[in-house]
Amino acid sequence: MIPAAVEALIAQFARFPGVGRRSAERMAFDLLAGGADRADTLRLAVERLSDVSLCPECGFFAEQGRCLICSQGRQDRHQLLVVERPMDVIAFEKTAGFRGLYHVLGGHLSPLKGITPDKLRLISLYARLDRGDITELILATSPSVEGDATSLYIAGQVEREGLNITRLGRGVPMGGSLEFSDAGTLRLALEGRRGLHGS
Amino acid sequence: MIPAAVEALIAQFARFPGVGRRSAERMAFDLLAGGADRADTLRLAVERLSDVSLCPECGFFAEQGRCLICSQGRQDRHQLLVVERPMDVIAFEKTAGFRGLYHVLGGHLSPLKGITPDKLRLISLYARLDRGDITELILATSPSVEGDATSLYIAGQVEREGLNITRLGRGVPMGGSLEFSDAGTLRLALEGRRGLHGS
């Protein structure tokens, strides 16, 4: 008995990750209760998404030309951190522990799904490395079989004089419980153990 | 470092109840990743909300004229269930335990917030009762002090020959929200309804 216009909106909200039917209903009714102004503001915000493109340099979100990170004077311009998705850049920026540059691949290799090297932003990665400013390439693809394979593939392509290729440390996450860590994570944590005082 | 257009959308998503900053980010990035078609579909769905009005008969959501419930041939047209908000109607419809008519007040009395009787859809309620078809008025305002006061006020206004005034059984937890009550609880509350003055 819900009007078709409201049902259509609920269906769109329910497409978001982590939003079930009930949450989607709640959002739609909240928007209805919010009045025309609020719905207009949301509509315009969604419309403005079409202004968002990918930075031609690094592949992160940008509005006009290069993204806010590439156009900044970054402190460590000799470090390049390679991630799969734009959201990963935001996750690293929140740590405030990295002041270098990023490169977003747009996914990971998955031949069975047709994601071959030419589908990722690799040509522009090689071009950036060719310029010779980068001395450390940090491969931060997702900690999965496909992510690892992608990192290994890239490492094989970009080996060159004066370029240090690293990847993220593996181990037990902060705040995690050993009891609920999977065997693979614990094995990696053991292999990656460090001296308690210094490295 | 998030583009302003994306930030604007995150801010709108974060206004929804139960959606925090992180969920809002996730939704915005999901929409970005979904491409122009998906964003367009959402934008149009939001735009279509302006077609949604309130049913002149009962105050529930409608698209043109009367709502889908009032224009249906409802089985129990002598029962009128009074609720505060349109979402409450949906909650009762989901129980499939009520086949009568609804009346949406648009809120509850709250003199301190300036919500006096004239702010609620009471005139149209009285008019419906005056027609004489209704033999039972079920007051299903929210189980709160204001909701109870609203029901008592209405009961005082509508007492008339041949009208049985009931309220929901106290299966509904105090302070709870009708919208999020499970169907079983709502059905029990319907079955356990009592006369407003004594049992």
Side-chain angles (χ1 to χ4, degrees), chain A residues 1-7 10 21 25 29, chain B residues 52-53 55 58 60-63 66-72 74 86-96 98-100 102:
Chain A
M1 85 308 326
I2 298 176
V6 184
E7 276 292 357
I10 291 169
R21 165 82 198 183
E25 277 182 6
F29 297 143
Chain B
V52 178
S53 56
C55 173
C58 74
F60 182 57
F61 298 130
E63 263 187 289
R66 298 203 303 167
C67 72
L68 293 174
I69 294 174
C70 285
S71 49
Q72 267 177 16
R74 297 286 283 189
M87 299 71 131
D88 301 334
V89 171
I90 293 166
F92 276 106
E93 283 297 285
K94 281 181 178 166
T95 71
F98 181 71
R99 288 282 160 256
Y102 293 96

Side-chain angles (χ1 to χ4, degrees), chain A residues 71-87:
Chain A
S71 49
Q72 267 176 17
R74 296 287 283 188
Q75 196 178 304
D76 302 324
R77 302 190 69 88
H78 58 282
Q79 286 186 323
L80 187 61
L81 197 152
V82 175
V83 294
E84 292 180 7
R85 302 166 309 156
M87 301 71 132

